[in-house]
Amino acid sequence: MDAFDVTVDGFIHHDRPLKIATPSEPGRCITGRVAGPVTWNAPNICTEAATEWMWPKVTARPAMQDGQLNSSCILDAKKIDATSGVAG
C-alpha cells in the first residue's frame, strides 16, 4: 500500500473506476479501481474531485507493468486542504 496525491480526470458511477493523473507522470492517466466504501453514496470524494479537478490523497495498491505504474486499486481517499496541503 502506498499514499498518492492524484488528479481525478473522470469517474464512472456504475462500476466505480477513476481515471487519474499522477504528478510523477504529467499528461498520463491510469485507471484506479475503487475497492472501498468511499464511493458507495454520491456525492463523494471521487465525484467532487472529478468535478472540481482537485487533488485527493488516495491509499492504493499500485500495479506495475514493465517498471511503470499501470493501474491501482484505491482503498481510501481524503480531501487535501488547498491552503495547508494536509489531508482531512
Side-chain angles (χ1 to χ4, degrees), residues 18-34:
L18 297 176
K19 284 298 186 181
I20 55 176
T22 60
S24 62
E25 298 179 68
R28 182 170 177 263
C29 287
I30 64 168
T31 299
R33 298 263 175 223
V34 182

Side-chain angles (χ1 to χ4, degrees), residues 19-70:
K19 284 298 186 181
I20 55 176
T22 60
S24 62
E25 298 179 68
R28 182 170 177 263
C29 287
I30 64 168
T31 299
R33 298 263 175 223
V34 182
V38 70
T39 61
W40 288 353
N41 297 307
N44 57 56
I45 182 67
C46 298
T47 58
E48 289 178 32
T51 303
E52 300 173 20
W53 199 251
M54 59 189 249
W55 290 75
K57 181 174 286 297
V58 298
T59 302
R61 183 179 317 121
M64 308 297 279
Q65 183 175 8
D66 297 326
Q68 188 175 35
L69 183 62
N70 186 45

